[in-house]
């Protein structure tokens, strides 16, 4: 089976400054993976490169075996904020836009997710709290049927109840073979749903490990992640 | 259900299910919740639940009916054995912890029977 993501020797510069260097990463089908790193480590940049939003990189990025940007976009689901929409836009209008843009957008699935998240269809973006907006992003992202889902810091600044709801929706709506990459700068509370962690440091992937393998060494995933940054402080 | 994050979660899921079976919340011969239902209920990864159930199938405490799901064994000998193992594991922890406090096996026995006597007189 084709891997949902294969990145080889990726280099990305912005204003002549290296943001990502010599990055290699392969994700297997059917996994939930956390992309961890400090703020500014390059997590969002990496997601934007994978999804084809950020261009002019060197190296190879394959999504479900496809390298061309248009093909990649057809095999992954990524909602880059909702910054393209005016504040007065209603949820329903965003959905219409998604239906036009993505032929695999499943309205029935969206409505189920929307109801699960308790979002009313005629609400405007300006009426949504941070948590509600994040729930909407999740509902939109999971309403497509693709090999790879990218979630960029879905838990930042939202309360525990909303977080729990989002985690449960991930377990409920994930298809067996699809893979989810979730970025975050800390890792507690979601560790139990993760298959793997990928740690970004010094502009590249410095570690990829299964969470159960970490636990088998009597270490918590949080301790494991923190140890990479503590080492730096001691140096 | 809260899981410790420094112990493999599939082991903790197994422990949880053993308890459900021993205490009769999951009954012999009855179907247990699906992999996804368990994952949502316990807020854990589906693959991890799968691994726990596979091992329990291998041990014989669960059995799979094709297309129907997982069922609890009706083998009473095996259920008794599982219960004994669970009790032994708890005793192991207790004795180990007492030993590490410098309490000898004899003292444990004495302290325990005194403790139980007091507990019962409280009732």
């Amino acid at each position: 089976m084709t891997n949902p993501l294969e990145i080889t020797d990726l280099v990305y510069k912005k204003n002549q400054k290296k943001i990502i260097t010599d990055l290699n990463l392969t994700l297997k089908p059917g996994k939930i993976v956390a992309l961890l790193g400090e703020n500014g480590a390059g997590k969002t940049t990496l997601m934007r490169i994978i999804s084809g939003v950020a261009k002019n990189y060197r190296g190879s990025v394959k999504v479900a075996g496809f390298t061309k940007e248009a093909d990649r976009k057809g095999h992954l689901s990524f909602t880059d904020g909702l910054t393209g929409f005016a504040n007065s836009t209603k949820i329903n209008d965003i959905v219409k836009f998604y239906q036009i843009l993505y032929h695999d957008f499943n309205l029935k699935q969206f409505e189920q997710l929307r109801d699960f998240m308790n979002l009313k269809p005629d609400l405007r973006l300006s009426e949504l709290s941070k948590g509600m907006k994040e729930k909407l992003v999740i509902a939109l992202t999971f309403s497509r049927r693709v090999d790879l889902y990218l979630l960029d810091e879905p838990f930042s600044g939202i309360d525990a109840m909303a977080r729990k709801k989002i985690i449960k929706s991930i377990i409920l709506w994930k298809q067996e073979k699809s893979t989810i990459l979730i970025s975050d700068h800390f890792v507690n509370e979601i560790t139990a749903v993760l298959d793997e962690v990928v740690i970004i440091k010094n502009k590249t992937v410095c570690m990829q490990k299964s969470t159960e393998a970490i636990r088998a060494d009597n270490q918590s995933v949080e301790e494991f992640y923190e140890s990479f940054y503590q080492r730096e402080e001691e140096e | 259900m809260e899981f410790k994050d420094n112990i493999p979660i599939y082991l903790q899921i197994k422990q949880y299910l053993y308890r459900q079976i021993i205490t009769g919340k999951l009954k012999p011969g009855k179907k247990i919740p699906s992999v996804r239902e368990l994952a949502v209920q316990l807020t854990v990864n589906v693959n991890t639940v799968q691994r726990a159930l596979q091992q329990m199938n291998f041990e014989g405490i669960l059995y799979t009916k094709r297309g129907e799901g997982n069922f609890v064994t009706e083998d009473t000998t095996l259920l008794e054995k599982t219960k004994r193992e669970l009790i032994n594991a708890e005793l192991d922890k207790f004795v180990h912890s007492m030993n590490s406090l410098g309490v000898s096996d004899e003292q444990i026995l004495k302290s325990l029977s005194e403790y139980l006597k007091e507990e019962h007189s409280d009732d």
Side-chain angles (χ1 to χ4, degrees):
Chain A
M1 197 176 168
T2 324
N3 288 323
L5 183 66
E6 273 179 30
I7 301 177
T8 328
D9 301 330
L10 179 70
V11 178
Y12 182 74
K13 287 180 196 169
K14 205 172 177 183
N15 302 324
Q16 285 160 353
K17 203 176 155 248
K18 266 191 187 168
I19 311 274
I20 287 171
T21 177
D22 303 324
L23 185 146
N24 291 284
L25 177 63
T26 297
L27 299 184
K28 297 218 150 46
K31 304 276 184 195
I32 302 178
V33 183
L35 179 66
L36 302 173
E38 285 184 319
N39 286 321
K43 303 184 298 288
T44 303
T45 305
L46 182 60
M47 289 207 165
R48 289 167 61 88
I49 292 170
I50 296 168
S51 62
V53 180
K55 299 173 170 67
N56 300 323
Y57 54 84
R58 279 198 290 126
S60 148
V61 178
K62 275 190 196 170
V63 173
F66 295 94
T67 46
K68 275 194 211 145
E69 272 158 31
D71 294 332
R72 261 155 48 193
K73 280 181 182 166
H75 289 267
L76 66 82
S77 186
F78 176 53
T79 303
D80 195 8
L82 286 165
T83 44
F85 297 99
N87 270 332
S88 58
T89 317
K90 285 183 181 171
I91 290 181
N92 258 345
D93 296 326
I94 297 175
V95 171
K96 276 179 201 150
F97 180 78
Y98 265 71
Q99 279 182 288
I100 295 167
L101 202 59
Y102 302 109
H103 64 90
D104 59 348
F105 188 85
N106 185 327
L107 186 63
K108 222 176 180 171
Q109 169 121 339
F110 174 79
E111 285 169 350
Q112 279 180 14
L113 273 157
R114 186 198 63 202
D115 293 346
F116 181 78
M117 303 289 200
N118 300 319
L119 294 169
K120 292 199 179 67
D122 55 349
L123 281 174
R124 295 174 191 278
L125 276 185
S126 55
E127 295 170 299
L128 302 182
S129 68
K130 193 154 190 193
M132 286 159 91
K133 218 176 245 179
E134 204 45 66
K135 285 175 180 172
L136 175 62
V137 166
I138 300 275
L140 289 167
T141 308
F142 283 128
S143 295
R144 294 184 55 208
R145 212 160 242 279
V146 291
D147 302 280
L148 180 64
Y149 296 86
L150 304 176
L151 303 177
D152 192 16
E153 302 219 357
F155 307 111
S156 64
I158 66 169
D159 61 69
M161 286 305 287
R163 186 161 46 223
K164 202 147 205 184
K165 199 100 192 169
I166 289 172
I167 293 172
K168 286 210 187 281
S169 76
I170 291 174
I171 303 169
L172 265 172
W173 268 278
K174 185 187 167 302
Q175 298 133 46
E176 203 184 329
K177 298 290 176 205
S178 62
T179 287
I180 306 178
L181 185 63
I182 307 168
S183 77
D184 215 328
H185 55 273
F186 68 163
V187 68
N188 44 19
E189 289 167 325
I190 62 158
T191 54
V193 299
L194 298 173
D195 288 284
E196 287 179 2
V197 291
V198 169
I199 300 174
I200 293 201
K201 195 183 147 185
N202 300 331
K203 305 180 179 68
T204 195
V205 169
C206 70
M207 176 55 74
Q208 179 173 12
K209 195 166 178 177
S210 122
T211 51
E212 288 287 78
I214 295 169
R215 296 185 189 107
D217 294 336
N218 294 320
Q219 213 175 11
S220 79
V221 176
E222 197 178 358
E223 283 164 356
F224 179 77
Y225 168 49
E226 281 171 358
S227 70
F228 281 86
Y229 281 99
Q230 268 155 16
R231 236 174 273 164
E232 190 172 60
E233 279 163 25
E234 283 161 14
E235 273 163 18
Chain B
M1 177 77 196
E2 288 287 322
F3 290 104
K4 288 201 177 80
D5 198 39
N6 57 357
I7 298 167
I9 287 180
Y10 81 95
L11 292 175
Q12 299 180 68
I13 295 172
K14 280 174 71 178
Q15 287 297 322
Y16 167 79
L17 290 172
Y18 287 150
R19 272 165 204 276
Q20 296 276 304
I21 292 168
I22 297 304
T23 55
K25 280 175 190 124
L26 296 172
K27 296 203 161 48
K30 289 280 183 310
K31 189 179 182 298
I32 70 161
S34 74
V35 173
R36 201 172 287 251
E37 278 166 2
L38 281 171
V40 172
Q41 187 190 320
L42 304 172
T43 327
V44 293
N45 189 294
V46 169
N47 297 329
T48 318
V49 176
Q50 193 81 55
R51 186 175 174 192
L53 296 189
Q54 264 165 14
Q55 284 205 359
M56 290 175 78
N57 262 284
F58 186 73
E59 291 162 4
I61 189 99
L62 296 179
Y63 63 95
T64 306
K65 281 191 205 169
R66 197 168 277 274
E68 283 187 64
N70 288 289
F71 294 76
V72 179
T73 184
E74 285 160 273
D75 180 342
T76 43
T77 324
L78 186 61
L79 287 168
E80 275 301 318
K81 186 174 156 255
T82 308
K83 186 172 181 173
R84 267 203 314 278
E85 279 171 3
L86 214 63
I87 291 169
N88 281 342
E90 289 300 320
L91 286 174
D92 227 37
K93 263 191 268 176
F94 171 68
V95 171
H96 191 80
S97 136
M98 293 302 267
N99 284 157
S100 74
L101 286 172
V103 185
S104 73
D105 288 357
E106 246 169 57
Q107 282 171 307
I108 293 174
L109 210 58
K110 196 159 157 270
S111 307
L112 186 63
S113 64
E114 274 169 18
Y115 175 83
L116 287 175
K117 241 180 253 163
E118 272 172 44
E119 280 292 288
H120 280 290
S121 62
D122 282 350
D123 288 341

